[in-house]
């Protein structure tokens, strides 16, 4: 039924998401007005002219705009779509939309929210940008529970759709507005659910942060009732990035203390995004303990994989909300390192960090400037003889140049690779898949490489991952990593010992390989002799 409706629309140039939704709403609204007139001769539905006239008189152009067709087209659309489920139609239409790219949240997020509201005996609920939760709204049938639900959407068409679908449901209200600016609402809500748009920059002096996720929360907090809770989905960078985001985390925790944080399973929001995401619950009430956990999916539901509890005073002194290390039972060594009273220094204080230049495949051609990419790093070394080149003016790519002694690190892909850049007579620049760490003082590049190759270093790098399956490391995040600040003598001693042992290892491998090759040839020769060949 839905595909047939789409096909009729597409044949008549009704193609965008809003156009497809608008005509479905028009059809359902027309049926609703006809159904209300119980004494109406039902032949109005069977005669194209009467049906078209009825739609014009009772639905009209003011609510949904001018109908882009004639009576015959509306007659086809009406009899194709009058009995379809409008929410299911909206869900499929939004999911198939490749232009607007709206996210549809996994219904388990809605289930968790509804369960929390039931446990807390909350009654007034606000779902922001409610079109993102359509699947969860339908599957939980939350409007059948003792809640008063307000659906907030920025889209006029989505608002009309909700009003049409919930026309006879008295405990569901629909309002239009944006969570990225102050909402002029008098009502307060006991529970708010939100997944703000990720990565947008806002120009709003009313909030202390430009990130859309933080701005949305700052605008929503005044709507939260005393004793109420707000559940928000955040990308990884909001959990650990420094600067203004770190200040915002502290301010938010002071205004509405964190109640719980759960790490989502990898891929929960695919195909919309593959970045790491977390569900953070804040509330207008003090708590005796904060719940930190990790969810996994079982039979399409979110269940707890691991959970720990922390006193609010302990949580308050944390520099960030990175809970992965706290939850990982295998990272006791890493936690001990972070808590150890040894001198440490953040990379941002001792090094300049930058990402390389984006270079397309068609840009690679014979030229004087060489490019370092992931494939040129192997076993902790740079393969200088395998570098590809580009033909470009030096001044245009000077900012991406790698100098001898720089620590280079892959920031994308599936495997983390590190190397200290060797001496080179050619100009070499980093590609966008490479981070360059240039130490200004105190830390030697070889020493830093050894540290990041260690279990502690690997754990730290993984904890700053923004991606899930595919690695995504950001220069600003890496700058927050702390490295042990040892004396220059100790650093040199560690580096020399590492190099000596590696050289001995490689020589042993070469000797063993040579001996094995010689023994194989001797055995093969003896085999031929025994056969009389």
């Amino acid at each position: 039924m839905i595909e047939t409706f789409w096909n009729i629309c597409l044949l008549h140039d009704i193609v965008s998401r809003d156009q497809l939704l608008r005509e479905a709403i028009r059809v359902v609204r027309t049926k609703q007005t006809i159904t209300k007139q119980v004494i109406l001769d039902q032949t109005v539905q069977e005669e194209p002219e009467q049906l078209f006239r009825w739609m014009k008189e009772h639905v009209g152009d003011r609510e949904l705009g001018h109908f882009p067709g004639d009576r015959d087209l509306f007659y086809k659309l009406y009899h194709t779509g009058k009995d379809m489920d409008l929410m299911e139609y909206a869900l499929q239409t939004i999911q198939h939309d490749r232009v607007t790219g709206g996210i549809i949240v996994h219904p388990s997020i809605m289930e968790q929210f509804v369960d929390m509201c039931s446990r807390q005996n909350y009654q007034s609920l606000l779902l922001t940008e409610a079109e993102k939760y359509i699947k969860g709204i339908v599957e939980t049938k939350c409007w059948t529970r003792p809640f008063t639900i307000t659906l907030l959407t920025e889209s006029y068409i989505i608002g009309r759709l909700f009003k049409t679908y919930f026309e006879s449901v008295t405990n569901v209200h629909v309002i239009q507005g944006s969570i990225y600016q102050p909402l002029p609402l008098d009502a307060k809500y006991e529970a708010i659910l939100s997944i703000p748009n990720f990565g947008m920059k806002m120009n709003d002096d009313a909030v202390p942060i430009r990130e859309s996720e933080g701005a949305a929360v700052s605008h929503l907090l005044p709507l939260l009732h005393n004793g109420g809770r707000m559940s928000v989905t955040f990308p990884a960078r909001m959990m650990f990035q420094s600067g203004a985001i770190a200040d915002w985390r502290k301010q938010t925790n002071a205004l509405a203390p964190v109640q719980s944080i759960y790490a989502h399973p990898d891929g929960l929001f695919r195909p919309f995004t593959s970045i790491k995401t977390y569900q953070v619950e804040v509330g207008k009430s003090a708590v005796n303990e904060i719940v930190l956990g990790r969810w996994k999916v079982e039979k399409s539901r979110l269940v707890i994989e691991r959970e720990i509890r922390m006193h609010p005073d302990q949580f308050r002194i944390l520099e960030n909300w990175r809970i992965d290390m706290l939850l990982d039972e295998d990272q006791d060594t890493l936690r001990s390192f972070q808590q150890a009273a040894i001198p440490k220094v953040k990379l941002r204080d001792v090094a300049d960090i930058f990402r390389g230049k984006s270079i397309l495949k068609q840009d690679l051609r014979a030229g004087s400037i060489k490019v370092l990419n992931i494939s040129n790093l192997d076993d902790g070394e740079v393969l200088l003889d395998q570098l590809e080149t580009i033909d470009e003016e030096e001044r245009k790519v000077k900012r991406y140049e790698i100098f001898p002694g720089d620590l280079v690190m892959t920031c994308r892909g599936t495997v983390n690779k590190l190397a200290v850049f060797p001496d080179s007579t050619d100009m070499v620049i980093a590609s966008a898949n490479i981070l360059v760490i240039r130490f200004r003082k105190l830390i030697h590049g070889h020493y830093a490489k050894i540290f990041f190759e260690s279990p502690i270093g690997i754990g730290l790098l993984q904890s700053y991952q923004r991606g899930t399956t595919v690695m995504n490391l950001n220069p600003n995040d890496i700058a927050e990593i702390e490295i042990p600040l040892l004396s220059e003598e100790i650093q040199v001693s560690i580096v020399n010992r590492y190099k000596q042992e590696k050289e001995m290892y490689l020589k042993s491998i070469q000797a063993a390989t040579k001996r094995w090759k010689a023994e194989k040839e001797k055995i093969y020769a003896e085999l031929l002799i025994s056969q009389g060949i």
Side-chain angles (χ1 to χ4, degrees), residues 309-327:
R309 295 172 188 275
M310 176 181 284
H311 193 276
D313 290 342
Q314 290 179 292
F315 183 81
R316 197 175 299 114
I317 63 176
L318 296 177
E319 288 190 2
N320 52 58
W321 294 352
R322 286 187 301 145
I323 65 170
D324 303 83
M325 287 185 297
L326 299 172
L327 294 171

Side-chain angles (χ1 to χ4, degrees), residues 293-331:
R294 182 166 50 232
W295 285 328
K296 63 179 180 179
V297 177
E298 281 187 2
K299 297 179 180 178
S300 299
R301 298 198 68 212
L302 286 177
V303 297
I304 295 171
E305 181 179 47
R306 176 160 166 74
E307 196 175 74
I308 62 174
R309 295 172 188 275
M310 176 181 284
H311 193 276
D313 290 342
Q314 290 179 292
F315 183 81
R316 197 175 299 114
I317 63 176
L318 296 177
E319 288 190 2
N320 52 58
W321 294 352
R322 286 187 301 145
I323 65 170
D324 303 83
M325 287 185 297
L326 299 172
L327 294 171
D328 197 334
E329 295 171 299
D330 298 326
Q331 296 206 22

Side-chain angles (χ1 to χ4, degrees), residues 162-178:
F162 284 144
K163 287 184 178 181
T164 301
Y165 187 84
F166 292 110
E167 184 187 45
S168 60
V169 181
T170 58
N171 62 321
V172 175
H173 309 289
V174 181
I175 57 177
Q176 188 178 354
S178 171

Side-chain angles (χ1 to χ4, degrees), residues 214-474:
V217 170
S218 296
H219 290 314
L220 288 170
L221 277 178
L223 305 181
L224 191 61
H225 201 283
N226 288 334
R229 293 189 180 188
M230 176 162 55
S231 181
V232 188
T233 303
F234 284 130
R237 65 186 178 82
M238 295 298 294
M239 309 299 286
F240 56 67
Q241 196 162 310
S242 61
I245 293 180
D247 295 338
W248 171 84
R249 282 195 301 267
K250 289 182 180 179
Q251 293 172 12
T252 300
N253 193 46
L255 291 171
V258 172
Q259 317 280 306
S260 68
I261 301 177
Y262 283 90
H264 293 151
D266 290 352
L268 187 68
F269 290 95
R270 289 197 186 111
F272 305 103
T273 181
S274 294
I275 63 176
K276 281 186 178 182
T277 51
Y278 300 79
Q279 201 69 24
V280 179
E281 215 173 75
V282 299
K284 289 286 188 75
S285 61
V287 289
N288 296 323
E289 57 184 10
I290 297 169
V291 182
L292 307 177
R294 182 166 50 232
W295 285 328
K296 63 179 180 179
V297 177
E298 281 187 2
K299 297 179 180 178
S300 299
R301 298 198 68 212
L302 286 177
V303 297
I304 295 171
E305 181 179 47
R306 176 160 166 74
E307 196 175 74
I308 62 174
R309 295 172 188 275
M310 176 181 284
H311 193 276
D313 290 342
Q314 290 179 292
F315 183 81
R316 197 175 299 114
I317 63 176
L318 296 177
E319 288 190 2
N320 52 58
W321 294 352
R322 286 187 301 145
I323 65 170
D324 303 83
M325 287 185 297
L326 299 172
L327 294 171
D328 197 334
E329 295 171 299
D330 298 326
Q331 296 206 22
D332 290 338
T333 304
L334 182 55
R335 287 195 292 273
S336 297
F337 165 74
Q338 291 185 310
Q339 296 168 7
I342 60 174
K344 305 184 192 78
V345 63
K346 288 191 176 183
L347 288 183
R348 69 181 180 192
D349 296 327
V350 294
D352 298 318
I353 307 172
F354 62 90
R355 173 175 275 161
K357 176 178 173 57
S358 177
I359 297 174
L360 302 177
K361 194 170 183 179
Q362 56 264 33
D363 295 332
L364 297 172
R365 61 175 67 91
S368 60
I369 297 173
K370 295 187 175 182
V371 179
L372 178 70
N373 214 327
I374 296 175
S375 59
N376 307 127
L377 301 180
D378 184 55
D379 193 27
E381 304 292 337
V382 177
L383 307 178
L384 287 174
D385 59 338
Q386 297 182 15
L387 299 180
E388 295 186 275
T389 62
I390 60 172
D391 184 19
E392 185 61 271
E393 295 180 40
E394 287 191 11
R395 62 180 181 81
K396 292 185 178 180
V397 294
K398 188 70 176 174
R399 56 178 294 197
Y400 304 107
E401 185 177 6
I402 312 172
F403 296 148
D406 287 348
L407 178 61
V408 292
M409 174 191 303
T410 54
C411 58
R412 294 175 182 169
T414 56
V415 180
N416 185 247
K417 297 181 179 182
L418 297 134
V420 175
F421 195 74
D423 291 333
S424 174
T425 56
D426 300 310
M427 180 178 183
V428 181
I429 65 170
S431 75
N433 298 319
I434 301 292
L435 287 183
V436 179
I437 304 175
R438 181 169 299 148
F439 292 96
R440 302 186 301 268
K441 56 183 179 179
L442 301 177
I443 301 295
H444 287 262
H446 283 283
Y447 165 70
K449 172 181 174 289
I450 296 169
F451 174 75
F452 284 123
E453 288 175 340
S454 71
I456 291 175
I458 292 171
L460 284 170
L461 289 174
Q462 290 176 342
S463 72
Y464 280 96
Q465 275 269 37
R466 294 191 181 192
T468 53
T469 305
V470 178
M471 178 175 56
N472 182 6
L473 293 172
N474 184 280

